[in-house]
Amino acid sequence: MREEKRIKRREKELQKRKRKRRRKRRVAVLVIELVILCVLGAVAFGMFKLDKLNHTVFNEDSILNNGVNQEGFKNIALFGTDNRAGETSGVRSDCIIVASINTNTKEVKMLSVYRDTMLQQADGTYDKANSAYATGGAEAAINMLNKNLDLDITDYVTVNFLALADAVDLLGGIELDLTEEEVVHMNNYCVETSEITGKDYERIEPEVAGTYQLNGVQAVSYARIRYTAGGDFERTSRQRLVIEKLVEKAKSANLGTINKVIDAVFPEISTSFSSTEIIGLAADVFNYELGENGGFPFTPETPESIPGYSGSYVVAAGLADNVRQAHEFLFGDEDYEPTEVVQGISDELSEMTGIYPQADEEQTEDTQNETGSE
């Protein structure tokens, strides 16, 4: 009898243990299922948000370069357009920025290409840098940058006035130090910017220098100013400053605010990045740090006229030399030698414009002085 009781007790204990183990398994499975559901939900939410973007899919062979490869860097073309109501094509990119991400250090450098820079277009003719976007969209503009600067860009992001204004407003505005001259011009630009975006603003009165909290219309208008000293060169500096201020605000914003920015801004953005690529870039978003920024060409000339051309142009004093400087600035390559393509374009530009590399000009002057002294 005692033996039977012992056996029954053991059986009961075993059954209890089995029930506990089953309950633990069910709890574990439930937790795993919940985690999976949460992950799938987050991915689905993210993909839903990314669907708001206007995606462009390039043909594999449509993006060209000179056979270069900036290993260890991801180069992206950023374009800013000033689309007016009803304009969908033939729009020039008045903001052209090469954003280069060091994939190891996560440092991001920005190099603005002055919109009036005379560069070779797809058909071999020469025109302003911003005409490429008007002629063939982002694809033509990327190829123009790759061809003239020896870059390996394959992706782009384009924003318009409204996207920038919405982002600034939803992030609470940006604080900037303005000169009296900038205040005057910004107020003037605000009239048209407000009409284009359909957003309101308040004029700064009195028009004096100071530190101001700018809303979306004002920030966009500030980035458009080009009638102060420095002209378009200084304008590109203002554009990069606005981007820097936006990045600072975004990195400190809460999830709710970021969600509002995405909902408002994404429909106004065009990009070649796939959803998977964007998620991959976003994974490191808080590790990115903005580094140095500058403008291209580094040695710009603004001739009064160019034979056969009308209008104002920016000409690199030796395109090849400026490309060398660009590669040193972006990639730290101090010994870069431009490709034959860039060297050929550089030679043609010098012959067309009469503007040569600074070293060549100095040598020419020295030779003339020596000849004259004889």
Side-chain angles (χ1 to χ4, degrees):
M1 291 290 292
R2 289 179 181 175
E3 187 63 26
E4 289 179 2
K5 288 180 180 180
R6 281 198 208 97
I7 292 171
K8 288 181 179 179
R9 279 199 298 271
R10 286 175 185 171
E11 288 177 351
K12 287 181 180 180
E13 287 176 2
L14 287 171
Q15 288 174 354
K16 285 181 181 179
R17 289 174 185 172
K18 287 179 181 179
R19 283 196 293 271
K20 285 181 180 179
R21 281 198 293 270
R22 281 198 294 268
R23 278 199 295 270
K24 286 180 179 178
R25 283 198 210 97
R26 281 198 293 270
V27 170
V29 170
L30 181 59
V31 169
I32 292 170
E33 288 176 346
L34 286 173
V35 170
I36 291 173
L37 285 173
C38 287
V39 171
L40 290 175
V43 171
F45 178 75
M47 297 299 284
F48 170 74
K49 294 293 183 182
L50 292 175
D51 281 343
K52 293 176 179 289
L53 289 166
N54 298 303
H55 288 280
T56 299
V57 180
F58 294 130
N59 293 326
E60 287 185 10
D61 300 326
S62 65
I63 302 301
L64 309 173
N65 65 30
N66 300 334
V68 297
N69 176 26
Q70 279 84 49
E71 189 174 349
F73 295 87
K74 174 62 178 177
N75 300 314
I76 304 166
L78 307 180
F79 301 114
T81 61
D82 61 348
N83 306 48
R84 269 61 172 179
E87 290 182 331
T88 56
S89 61
V91 179
R92 295 196 175 212
S93 52
D94 280 351
C95 176
I96 306 171
I97 297 177
V98 176
S100 183
I101 303 172
N102 185 315
T103 55
N104 295 315
T105 66
K106 307 304 178 186
E107 181 185 37
V108 183
K109 290 185 178 181
M110 292 188 292
L111 184 66
S112 295
V113 176
Y114 303 129
R115 68 173 196 166
D116 291 337
T117 305
M118 177 174 268
L119 296 173
Q120 191 179 93
Q121 306 297 308
D123 60 359
T125 62
Y126 288 85
D127 206 338
K128 296 181 179 182
N130 67 350
S131 69
Y133 199 100
T135 303
E139 179 182 309
I142 290 173
N143 286 339
M144 178 271 298
L145 291 172
N146 285 346
K147 185 178 188 179
N148 289 271
L149 274 71
D150 271 352
L151 296 173
D152 65 352
I153 300 170
T154 56
D155 291 294
Y156 81 98
V157 177
T158 296
V159 299
N160 59 23
F161 283 171
L162 182 57
L164 182 57
D166 280 339
V168 171
D169 284 338
L170 290 168
L171 289 170
I174 58 175
E175 186 176 270
L176 291 174
D177 295 325
L178 274 62
T179 65
E180 181 178 328
E181 192 178 18
E182 287 175 330
V183 172
V184 173
H185 286 297
M186 187 194 70
N187 277 338
N188 292 337
Y189 270 113
C190 278
V191 177
E192 184 185 34
T193 304
S194 179
E195 292 175 356
I196 294 170
T197 61
K199 299 174 74 69
D200 297 326
Y201 73 100
E202 289 186 10
R203 285 180 63 87
I204 293 178
E205 298 285 358
E207 295 178 324
V208 296
T211 301
Y212 296 97
Q213 184 75 9
L214 305 185
N215 76 350
V217 170
Q218 292 170 321
V220 171
S221 298
Y222 169 81
R224 296 179 65 192
I225 297 172
R226 64 187 180 98
Y227 293 112
T228 60
D232 192 48
F233 305 145
E234 192 62 29
R235 177 171 67 165
T236 64
S237 178
R238 294 187 186 98
Q239 292 169 349
R240 296 191 299 273
L241 180 58
V242 169
I243 292 174
E244 288 179 14
K245 293 290 184 179
L246 273 177
V247 170
E248 289 175 9
K249 294 297 289 285
K251 291 181 77 170
S252 61
N254 59 45
L255 187 59
T257 299
I258 295 299
N259 185 46
K260 290 178 182 178
V261 172
I262 290 173
D263 285 339
V265 175
F266 272 27
E268 301 294 333
I269 293 177
S270 172
T271 183
S272 59
F273 282 115
S274 67
S275 298
T276 303
E277 288 171 326
I278 292 174
I279 290 173
L281 287 170
D284 288 323
V285 68
F286 291 105
N287 295 323
Y288 296 140
E289 291 293 338
L290 286 178
E292 295 178 280
N293 63 75
F296 182 93
F298 294 89
T299 54
E301 297 284 347
T302 52
E304 291 185 4
S305 63
I306 297 175
Y309 291 83
S310 60
S312 59
Y313 285 85
V314 172
V315 178
L319 180 68
D321 285 351
N322 279 271
V323 169
R324 288 189 189 95
Q325 292 180 68
H327 281 248
E328 181 176 354
F329 172 78
L330 291 172
F331 317 120
D333 190 347
E334 298 178 359
D335 301 316
Y336 184 75
E337 280 301 319
T339 61
E340 290 184 7
V341 174
V342 166
Q343 189 59 63
I345 295 172
S346 183
D347 293 341
E348 285 187 8
L349 280 169
S350 293
E351 290 175 9
M352 290 167 52
T353 64
I355 296 173
Y356 294 85
Q358 291 180 344
D360 291 354
E361 290 177 349
E362 290 171 3
Q363 289 173 2
T364 301
E365 289 177 3
D366 291 342
T367 301
Q368 290 174 343
N369 291 336
E370 288 173 5
T371 304
S373 62
E374 292 175 356

